[in-house]
Amino acid sequence: MADFFNTPNLGIYFHYIVLFLVMWSVIQCARGVVFNEQIVSVNQALGMFVAIVIIIIMGMRPASSAYGDTANYAGGFEAMVKNKQLQHLVWSKEWLYENITRMCAKTGSLHLYFTIFSTIYVGALWLALRRIFREYNFIPFVVVISMFTFWMYGVNGVRNGVGASLFILAMTYTENIPMMFIIALLGAGVHNTVYLMMAAALLAWFVNDSRIYIGGWLLSIILSYFFGNSIQTWMAGFADSVADENKLTRYLTYTRQDMISEGVIVSTSFRWDFLAYSALGVAVAAYFMYRRLFRDEYYRWIVNIYIICNAFWVLIIRAPYSNRFAQISWFILPIVLIYPFMRERFWKNQEKMLTIGILLFYAFGFFYNMLPILLG
């Protein structure tokens, strides 16, 4: 059993699980039985089982550079274990992350540490989907974990992933604003980028005309393409004036030499591929809201949050590690795509149309994750 987890191949196991679930979902949709009561019951049990398996796989991964920043998280954890004068509580910008780390450091268990964060990451998403879609949460869950960055943000950009998951859970408490605010603050206590999501949610709450945001998103593409470097420089200066030593400034001012020193080279070109991926959400939302006249205020709110967050990323699309800001919106993307299918019947053969939707969304993950495995 130990050898199963002590391997750089856990990501491969995960992607095979996703492939199986996508195929299972596609078969159900193609046969038109996905909403059958017995199938729904089976899917409920299967979805919960898969969520637990993913939590365990992520939590038991070795402290290896094969899992990106996992090695850095492990190094920081081990350093804290050696510190004999740990305070019980600390208050910092990312206070929840710091205090969970300190709590686990007292036990000295690295895998307990990893498992707590993987539980929050996967568990918060599963619970959020359960609250939104009730007993029909299996297909949305498959769409979420088939997102091409899902594994990456469970083992690499962990704090970003956990923070975003908590924010998505917070979004489901529209009937309980204090609870929504508390959970969102917990997310911000793990990763500060959640404050951007909170600001977007607040703006979208009071200004709900999606046409404004779609127009702003299109404008952000033009501005970024022609003036992206200037915008990036201005944003770095503004962020630096607001707070010293903040991560946004560092991300926006990374040089090629900085990346070489870290042993990582990432693209600083205009990412048309990532833009196309993001545009899928805008196009689907516009189609359902304006072509199919889908009137759902909660959906409109989610769409607007997605577009605001994605437009921010588009403006700094050339920045190294800008994917960490793209992920703020990409975490919301699966819900934007799947929500209308699960809420209202638009076609007689809607299940078969859902088949196309699932495969279309998974195509990006298949190309970036599964295809290299099959070809390698």
Side-chain angles (χ1 to χ4, degrees):
M1 178 64 79
D3 290 338
F4 176 84
F5 292 107
N6 190 24
T7 172
N9 295 326
L10 290 179
I12 295 177
Y13 303 156
F14 168 79
H15 294 308
Y16 272 114
I17 290 173
V18 170
L19 179 62
F20 166 77
L21 292 175
V22 169
M23 292 300 99
W24 172 244
S25 301
V26 165
I27 291 171
Q28 293 177 42
C29 293
R31 295 183 61 190
V33 298
V34 69
F35 297 117
N36 179 278
E37 185 175 335
Q38 291 181 329
I39 295 295
V40 168
S41 297
V42 171
N43 285 345
Q44 282 288 287
L46 178 60
M48 186 176 297
F49 173 75
V50 169
I52 293 171
V53 169
I54 294 173
I55 288 170
I56 294 172
I57 289 177
M58 287 182 174
M60 297 302 293
R61 69 189 186 277
S64 166
S65 58
Y67 299 100
D69 276 350
T70 285
N72 295 329
Y73 281 109
F77 178 82
E78 295 299 337
M80 196 169 287
V81 169
K82 295 176 182 178
N83 185 350
K84 303 300 182 182
Q85 297 180 341
L86 291 176
Q87 301 176 25
H88 291 291
L89 291 174
V90 295
W91 297 105
S92 61
K93 292 180 180 178
E94 294 171 340
W95 60 272
L96 183 57
Y97 165 73
E98 293 287 345
N99 285 303
I100 290 177
T101 304
R102 287 171 177 267
M103 177 190 72
C104 293
K106 291 180 180 180
T107 70
S109 173
L110 178 63
H111 288 109
L112 172 63
Y113 176 56
F114 287 163
T115 301
I116 287 176
F117 282 115
S118 66
T119 300
I120 301 173
Y121 176 57
V122 179
L125 281 174
W126 184 89
L127 181 58
L129 297 174
R130 174 73 183 180
R131 286 180 54 80
I132 295 172
F133 300 106
R134 304 300 177 185
E135 69 271 21
Y136 300 109
N137 69 316
F138 176 76
I139 297 296
F141 181 66
V142 172
V143 172
V144 167
I145 66 173
S146 68
M147 179 172 54
F148 87 105
T149 55
F150 183 84
W151 173 260
M152 183 192 310
Y153 282 88
V155 301
N156 183 12
V158 175
R159 290 184 298 115
N160 195 328
V162 171
S165 289
L166 286 171
F167 175 78
I168 290 172
L169 177 60
M171 289 168 58
T172 68
Y173 284 89
T174 53
E175 81 292 348
N176 188 341
I177 300 301
M179 179 63 72
M180 178 193 294
F181 187 68
I182 290 171
I183 297 175
L185 283 180
L186 290 176
V190 177
H191 202 268
N192 284 170
T193 54
V194 174
Y195 286 119
L196 174 61
M197 304 173 86
M198 292 173 67
L202 184 63
L203 176 60
W205 187 273
F206 291 104
V207 181
N208 64 1
D209 189 345
S210 297
R211 292 170 296 184
I212 296 174
Y213 300 115
I214 293 174
W217 181 79
L218 293 172
L219 179 61
S220 72
I221 297 174
I222 298 172
L223 292 175
S224 180
Y225 186 79
F226 290 104
F227 309 107
N229 291 329
S230 298
I231 293 172
Q232 187 174 314
T233 300
W234 179 84
M235 281 191 177
F238 176 76
D240 191 52
S241 67
V242 172
D244 294 331
E245 299 183 356
N246 64 81
K247 292 180 181 178
L248 177 58
T249 302
R250 292 205 303 273
Y251 286 141
L252 295 180
T253 57
Y254 255 73
T255 65
R256 187 173 182 83
Q257 287 69 30
D258 293 328
M259 289 187 283
I260 292 174
S261 67
E262 293 186 358
V264 178
I265 299 295
V266 295
S267 174
T268 56
S269 62
F270 196 90
R271 296 303 301 265
W272 290 106
D273 53 345
F274 287 172
L275 184 60
Y277 181 72
S278 301
L280 180 63
V282 179
V284 168
Y287 171 79
F288 280 110
M289 289 191 297
Y290 302 118
R291 180 69 178 84
R292 307 299 302 195
L293 301 179
F294 180 50
R295 304 297 186 216
D296 187 301
E297 289 306 313
Y298 183 70
Y299 182 66
R300 185 182 298 275
W301 183 55
I302 292 173
V303 167
N304 292 344
I305 296 171
Y306 168 75
I307 296 174
I308 293 169
C309 292
N310 194 258
F312 174 81
W313 163 71
V314 170
L315 290 173
I316 58 171
I317 197 171
R318 292 182 177 88
Y321 305 111
S322 73
N323 62 304
R324 301 198 176 192
F325 295 96
Q327 189 62 24
I328 296 172
S329 58
W330 287 348
F331 264 103
I332 308 171
L333 178 57
I335 300 176
V336 170
L337 295 176
I338 199 67
Y339 187 97
F341 287 96
M342 310 303 291
R343 284 296 188 185
E344 189 172 311
R345 180 167 288 275
F346 299 94
W347 306 277
K348 291 182 179 179
N349 60 339
Q350 179 140 323
E351 290 82 357
K352 293 184 179 179
M353 297 299 292
L354 183 55
T355 301
I356 298 173
I358 293 171
L359 290 175
L360 181 63
F361 185 70
Y362 177 59
F364 212 83
F366 182 85
F367 179 79
Y368 275 92
N369 297 324
M370 199 66 221
L371 188 59
I373 294 172
L374 297 176
L375 294 179

